[in-house]
Amino acid sequence: MRDHFSKVFILGLGFLLSGQAAAQQGAYFVLGTGMPVTIERLDPLLSAGKVPSQHVHSVVGGNAFTSTMDFATTQKSTCATVQPKADKSNYWMPNLYFHNPTTKTFTRVREQPYHKIYYKYGNGANQYDTDIQEFPQEFRMIAGDATLRSLNSTAMGPYGTELGWFCHGNGTSQFPDVNSVGFPTGFTACPNGLAAAITMPSCWNGQAFDATNPSGHMRYPTADGITGCPVGYRVARFPQIFVEYWLNVNTFDGMYGKNDQPFVLSMGDPTGFGFHVDFLNGWTPAVLNETMKTCRPGNTGNPPLSDASCFGNRGGIFTDAEIKACLIPGAVNEDVGWTYPEIDNPQGGVLTKGGELQQLPGCQTIQGAPGPATLKTC
């Protein structure tokens, strides 16, 4: 069963690893994103009400994002950096920094600026799995663990986050593709981008999110249907969210060698194993349930998300210009290597480096393997 199941549910990882996977229609859609709506130290899941939170996040989604949120807060969004107007959710992940091997300073790595968020609701035959339903209004979850600093085959394996990092080369022996679960090494440039990929769990036990046990209410499926969820986690099965986090590291070419590992996540992680994504539901009720019945573009873009079978008759989609303009000023007054309303990789412009920092925001210190790391806040 897993062989068929994996064809659909880890399809996104195949796209990431191959760089040029074959286009395929089916029971999933892909949300492209614009520039993050904000880049700062806020985390309404693990640090609710705290300004600032522990480490810097890149936040995608609705512009109502703040330190304390419930479903009603998400519905106050007037724009979002994802296309469907019905999706006022937020998705956030740790920022990546370049740790200069020579000067020891930190520079925020620019985003592509797009990321990709896959919503998968198919079975092994790539048909709509009718057991899958939309998220409850107050739903929230996390994939990954910020404290991890080494490989955890159980958490990261085929029934887990399937975490992966990929340096996209250009097909030459000088710049080959390089991939690994944590940060890859042995490269001096990623001409077509550096990317992380992570899968979120989709099987729910019916309990509310608990910040003291953030993954306790969710598990990963192993087969189709609600019975493909572990016993005790069959209250509901949701669309499986798969996130690709794309970064442009070209401006650092020539500043590090093959034996260097010059990148570090904002919580002081030089391994990449601590990459994580948070999700807070803001979907307009009933829209996902109706959309999953008819929307079949897969990764082809055909039909487009604006089509009546997807979101055309369910609120429509934001234009590229609206997405680009959807930025909010930071609530935390500190230098994180980004200044509102700066746009990464402006079309037709020249990519420049962010500001150099003497230390990671939040007094985060670099903590390597084996972990777990001890995170702090200042």
Side-chain angles (χ1 to χ4, degrees):
M1 178 69 75
R2 174 62 183 177
D3 291 340
H4 291 295
F5 175 79
S6 62
K7 289 179 184 178
V8 174
F9 283 87
I10 62 172
L11 200 55
L13 184 59
F15 296 160
L16 179 71
L17 297 183
S18 68
Q20 293 182 342
Q24 181 182 19
Q25 290 180 313
Y28 64 101
F29 58 79
V30 185
L31 304 180
T33 77
M35 177 75 189
V37 70
T38 189
I39 299 170
E40 60 181 324
R41 282 200 291 146
L42 287 184
D43 186 346
L45 265 64
L46 294 183
S47 300
K50 295 180 180 179
V51 182
S53 65
Q54 210 166 60
H55 51 271
V56 177
H57 289 108
S58 173
V59 183
V60 172
N63 68 340
F65 187 79
T66 187
S67 63
T68 302
M69 297 185 70
D70 58 12
F71 181 78
T73 308
T74 68
Q75 300 308 292
K76 296 177 183 178
S77 292
T78 57
C79 65
T81 56
V82 295
Q83 297 110 315
K85 292 183 177 180
D87 186 11
K88 298 180 175 67
S89 308
N90 285 110
Y91 315 76
W92 60 99
M93 57 219 76
N95 242 185
L96 186 71
Y97 288 86
F98 175 77
H99 190 204
N100 192 308
T102 302
T103 66
K104 306 304 179 183
T105 56
F106 298 90
T107 304
R108 186 182 72 84
V109 177
R110 303 280 182 159
E111 304 182 34
Q112 278 292 65
Y114 61 84
H115 306 304
K116 294 180 180 179
I117 301 172
Y118 296 73
Y119 271 73
K120 306 174 187 178
Y121 39 93
N123 56 25
N126 205 10
Q127 302 297 316
Y128 173 40
D129 187 334
T130 57
D131 282 347
I132 294 175
Q133 60 184 275
E134 67 184 15
F135 308 103
Q137 290 187 13
E138 299 298 344
F139 182 78
R140 53 198 66 195
M141 65 176 169
I142 294 176
D145 183 340
T147 69
L148 292 180
R149 296 294 184 269
S150 55
L151 178 66
N152 183 319
S153 58
T154 299
M156 301 172 186
Y159 301 117
T161 64
E162 297 179 315
L163 175 65
W165 286 88
F166 198 90
C167 171
H168 289 270
N170 60 6
T172 68
S173 58
Q174 182 180 9
F175 300 117
D177 293 341
V178 184
N179 66 281
S180 179
V181 178
F183 287 142
T185 57
F187 62 90
T188 58
C190 302
N192 287 305
L194 176 68
I198 195 167
T199 302
M200 306 200 81
S202 55
C203 297
W204 186 42
N205 67 2
Q207 300 299 308
F209 176 85
D210 180 356
T212 66
N213 184 19
S215 299
H217 64 316
M218 297 297 294
R219 290 292 185 271
Y220 287 86
T222 60
D224 294 335
I226 193 68
T227 57
C229 289
V231 174
Y233 291 83
R234 295 177 179 174
V235 171
R237 180 167 176 169
F238 305 129
Q240 191 150 53
I241 298 175
F242 174 86
V243 178
E244 293 181 1
Y245 178 51
W246 284 82
L247 301 140
N248 189 323
V249 297
N250 294 346
T251 51
F252 305 108
D253 291 357
M255 299 175 66
Y256 60 96
K258 283 188 175 182
N259 295 324
D260 293 322
Q261 200 309 94
F263 300 104
V264 57
L265 289 167
S266 57
M267 63 282 189
D269 176 14
T271 69
F273 291 115
F275 184 75
H276 54 284
V277 173
D278 298 48
F279 168 72
L280 191 149
N281 177 45
W283 281 94
T284 301
V287 167
L288 263 182
N289 277 345
E290 292 304 310
T291 300
M292 289 188 292
K293 294 176 183 177
T294 58
C295 188
R296 301 289 182 269
N299 70 321
T300 66
N302 183 27
L305 295 184
S306 58
D307 187 77
S309 65
C310 295
F311 300 103
N313 291 336
R314 301 175 182 119
I317 64 171
F318 289 111
T319 66
D320 290 345
E322 289 171 326
I323 291 173
K324 182 177 180 180
C326 192
L327 296 170
I328 56 175
V332 183
N333 184 22
E334 67 177 344
D335 188 356
V336 298
W338 174 74
T339 304
Y340 171 86
E342 184 179 42
I343 301 293
D344 283 0
N345 303 332
Q347 186 174 2
V350 177
L351 178 67
T352 58
K353 300 182 181 68
E356 289 189 329
L357 307 176
Q358 297 303 311
Q359 64 178 15
L360 291 171
C363 303
Q364 300 300 321
T365 57
I366 295 180
Q367 301 177 64
T374 301
L375 306 183
K376 55 185 178 181
T377 304
C378 75

